[in-house]
Amino acid sequence: MISEFRGKYQFLSNFYRSPIEYQSLVYPSLENAFQAAKTDDEYIRKHFVNFTPLEAKKWGRKVPLVSNWESIKIDVMTWLIVIKFTPGTELATLLSSTGDEELI
């Protein structure tokens, strides 16, 4: 079981710096993309490109939410994880190296 995304497993964290392209913008981490996805205001979303993941999380609590956020947030997160671990990438290889370990 892998329960901490630190050290050897830091790459599993949503805060890990790995470029994620979503809604025509490239964010520095999955966390940035997820927080930006909460709003349909393009002007606001663009700011998340320059935030640290921690800043993105903070500002994501303040944005006007898309009307159906509660019903789509799991799908958005799932899609961002798919993007982050695209087959053939270094992150996909690292994820594969965790084998059958449960990720919590």
Side-chain angles (χ1 to χ4, degrees):
M1 174 178 27
I2 300 170
S3 60
E4 287 192 351
F5 300 161
R6 298 172 192 249
K8 178 180 173 182
Y9 298 114
Q10 183 178 8
F11 73 94
L12 295 168
S13 170
N14 292 346
F15 282 53
Y16 185 75
R17 290 200 170 261
S18 59
I20 300 283
E21 184 174 348
Y22 186 70
Q23 297 175 332
S24 302
L25 293 170
V26 178
Y27 298 94
S29 75
L30 187 151
E31 185 68 26
N32 292 62
F34 182 74
Q35 297 300 332
K38 289 180 173 182
T39 185
D40 55 8
D41 185 321
E42 188 176 340
Y43 177 78
I44 293 173
R45 282 199 318 258
K46 286 180 180 180
H47 284 82
F48 284 84
V49 169
N50 297 312
F51 291 152
T52 66
L54 190 58
E55 290 169 335
K57 187 171 185 170
K58 174 185 168 188
W59 285 100
R61 293 183 183 124
K62 300 176 182 181
V63 300
L65 298 177
V66 295
S67 61
N68 61 342
W69 180 246
E70 287 304 314
S71 65
I72 67 166
K73 66 183 177 183
I74 300 294
D75 290 338
V76 170
M77 179 58 78
T78 300
W79 181 243
L80 292 172
I81 290 170
V82 167
I83 294 170
K84 179 177 176 177
F85 295 104
T86 299
T89 63
E90 180 182 356
L91 289 178
T93 301
L94 288 170
L95 178 60
S96 233
S97 74
T98 64
D100 293 333
E101 292 285 344
E102 182 179 7
L103 308 177
I104 299 177

